Amino acid sequence: MEAKNLARGLVNLLFPADCKICQHPLEPFNFTFICKNCWDKVEWIKTPCCAQCSKPLSLSPAFQDISLLLCPECRRENSYFKKLFVPTFYEGIMKKAIHLLKYN
């Protein structure tokens, strides 16, 4: 195990990687290809959100404890799925990261 860590450290020393988003050098042993600075800029969706599609909902504090809340679109339309988990919006850093994952 120690030899494996030594080899990884040597590779990082000889061929330092850059963040694929901002091009700044990555910390040693960072194998995500995105720096901590960029990950910290990702805006995660916080509750309350739609129980079916995960869109954020603006509710008064009295209703935030109800777990089965649907947005107007999910109440109106029949969807092709029962539950969708969306941790973040498709914008900014996350949009670039998904684009890199798909095309690079």
Side-chain angles (χ1 to χ4, degrees):
M1 187 68 175
E2 208 172 295
K4 192 176 191 179
N5 287 339
L6 183 61
R8 284 183 181 168
L10 186 59
V11 168
N12 284 337
L13 180 65
L14 297 175
F15 307 103
D18 292 335
C19 174
K20 299 296 182 189
I21 305 292
C22 68
Q23 308 308 316
H24 285 91
L26 292 173
E27 295 290 324
F29 298 105
N30 181 341
F31 298 105
T32 63
F33 301 104
I34 298 176
C35 68
K36 185 181 178 331
N37 232 8
C38 288
W39 276 120
D40 289 343
K41 293 177 186 174
V42 172
E43 292 183 38
W44 302 98
I45 295 176
K46 296 174 180 62
T47 56
C49 59
C50 176
Q52 187 168 341
C53 72
S54 293
K55 284 182 186 174
L57 298 172
S58 55
L59 300 172
S60 68
F63 292 106
Q64 288 184 6
D65 292 334
I66 300 173
S67 60
L68 188 61
L69 295 171
L70 298 176
C71 69
E73 291 85 9
C74 288
R75 276 186 254 147
R76 254 193 327 261
E77 302 171 9
N78 290 332
S79 64
Y80 298 103
F81 55 88
K82 292 185 181 201
K83 180 93 172 133
L84 177 69
F85 175 70
V86 181
T88 181
F89 294 110
Y90 183 66
E91 60 188 25
I93 299 293
M94 191 54 66
K95 184 175 182 176
K96 290 178 185 176
I98 291 171
H99 184 82
L100 286 167
L101 177 68
K102 287 172 70 174
Y103 301 110
N104 290 347

